[in-house]
């Protein structure tokens, strides 16, 4: 458990997290795992992605709450308290 994540959740109600998928998931069907995990992430106007989109003027539509990096086997996204607890429980 990260102190930084807990602090972000306490201050703003959201935190950016990295989920490292298990090797067997990455080798198998990662898209199913990503779809299952995606429900724990939330879009937020306070997220880093939203801030970057606003700063560059590319806020054309809703941003995905989670990005999956296939070759790294990680997912990066924004969670609220409920999503964080659900990710921790979903091992």
């Amino acid at each position: 458990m990260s102190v930084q994540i807990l602090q972000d959740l306490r201050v703003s109600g959201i935190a950016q997290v990295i989920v490292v998928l298990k090797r067997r998931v990455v080798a198998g069907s990662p898209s199913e795992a990503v779809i299952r995990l995606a429900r724990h992430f939330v879009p937020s106007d306070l997220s880093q992605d939203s801030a970057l989109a606003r700063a560059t003027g590319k806020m054309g539509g809703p941003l995905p709450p989670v990005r999956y990096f296939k070759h790294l086997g990680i997912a990066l996204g924004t969670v609220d308290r409920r999503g964080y607890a659900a990710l921790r429980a979903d091992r």
Side-chain angles (χ1 to χ4, degrees):
M1 190 174 314
S2 168
V3 173
Q4 183 65 46
I5 292 172
L6 295 176
Q7 181 179 354
D8 288 351
L9 287 171
R10 192 171 28 254
V11 171
S12 65
I14 62 160
Q16 190 169 43
V17 298
I18 296 172
V19 175
V20 179
L21 299 172
K22 295 178 181 176
R23 285 182 194 229
R24 64 180 166 78
V25 172
V26 174
S29 178
S31 59
E32 290 177 22
V34 172
I35 291 168
R36 191 181 81 241
L37 289 175
R39 67 177 182 239
H40 303 311
F41 291 87
V42 295
S44 173
D45 289 338
L46 300 175
S47 73
Q48 187 175 24
D49 284 345
S50 291
L52 288 170
R54 279 192 305 277
T56 59
K58 297 184 181 186
M59 195 71 173
L63 296 170
V66 62
R67 287 185 281 156
Y68 174 60
F69 298 90
K70 178 181 175 181
H71 296 291
L72 298 174
I74 64 169
L76 172 69
T78 304
V79 294
D80 57 12
R81 288 176 181 88
R82 187 179 323 162
Y84 181 64
L87 283 175
R88 301 233 352 121
D90 189 0
R91 293 182 177 235

